[in-house]
């Protein structure tokens, strides 16, 4: 059974200049596997957006 969480933020601050941007450059997936939780393996999968500075 998968549980999902989602951010509601439409914008993010660009790290280089701190300007808020809603323009998405790309997306990628990150996976974190951990030891068993309650006897079942745990896997956290994040779909991450990269924003562009306008």
């Amino acid at each position: 059974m998968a549980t999902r969480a989602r951010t509601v933020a439409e914008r993010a601050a660009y790290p280089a200049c701190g300007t808020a941007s809603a323009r998405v450059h790309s997306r990628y997936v990150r996976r974190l596997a951990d030891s068993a939780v309650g006897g079942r393996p745990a896997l956290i999968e994040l779909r991450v957006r990269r924003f562009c500075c306008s």
Side-chain angles (χ1 to χ4, degrees):
M1 182 169 109
T3 302
R4 294 184 179 190
R6 184 177 181 161
T7 182
V8 294
E10 296 287 328
R11 302 176 155 283
Y14 189 71
C17 65
T19 303
S21 177
R23 195 170 140 205
V24 177
H25 176 269
S26 61
R27 291 176 175 84
Y28 64 97
V29 176
R30 298 186 107 172
R31 289 181 181 90
L32 170 66
D34 203 352
S35 58
V37 176
R40 297 179 66 190
L43 174 67
I44 299 172
E45 184 173 283
L46 302 171
R47 284 191 293 173
V48 182
R49 296 177 291 176
R50 284 191 179 132
F51 290 88
C52 293
C53 182
S54 298

